[in-house]
Amino acid sequence: MTRQQKRAMGLLLGVASLLVIIVVAARDGGSDTSGLDERSYKAGYGAFGGANLPPSDEDREMVEIRCEEFFRPWAAGHDDAVTLDRDSWVTGCADYLEVRDSRF
């Protein structure tokens, strides 16, 4: 193998390695939002209209149950609710009630 061929092979290996790193970073970079529908999440996060509520002292499971219960009455007043992902909405609602920063 000539020196030029070795250099070209090294360059190709470097580019391939860089691509792998970029793909892995892109997949892991959004781990907080993995599987969440942004529009639905934001609707759940904003369901209380920005009301200044005290943080919930319940565990996450109970907060999510309360958000699940709240979804149906909330959705009744919002025509576009049928197009929302309920799980993402509940996550947004629960994050708001736990006074977490929005994930989007």
Side-chain angles (χ1 to χ4, degrees), residues 7-9 22 43 66 88-89 96:
R7 188 176 288 173
M9 292 286 284
I22 290 170
R66 296 209 186 283
S88 295
W89 189 95
Y96 184 80

Side-chain angles (χ1 to χ4, degrees), residues 1 8 12 15 20 27 31 35-36 40 51-52 54 57 59 64 67 78-80 91-92 98:
M1 188 177 282
L12 286 175
V15 169
V20 168
R27 292 181 79 197
S31 61
L36 291 177
S40 302
N52 190 8
D57 59 352
D59 66 4
E64 288 181 354
C67 285
H78 295 82
D79 294 335
D80 66 339
T91 300
E98 290 185 334

Side-chain angles (χ1 to χ4, degrees), residues 56-101:
S56 174
D57 59 352
E58 298 175 315
D59 66 4
R60 179 68 180 206
E61 185 177 350
M62 284 306 300
V63 172
E64 288 181 354
I65 288 170
R66 296 209 186 283
C67 285
E68 281 274 351
E69 292 170 349
F70 180 56
F71 180 78
R72 180 164 283 161
W74 177 87
H78 295 82
D79 294 335
D80 66 339
V82 295
T83 64
L84 297 177
D85 176 69
R86 187 179 183 134
D87 292 336
S88 295
W89 189 95
V90 167
T91 300
C93 172
D95 281 356
Y96 184 80
L97 291 177
E98 290 185 334
V99 190
R100 293 184 180 188
D101 288 335

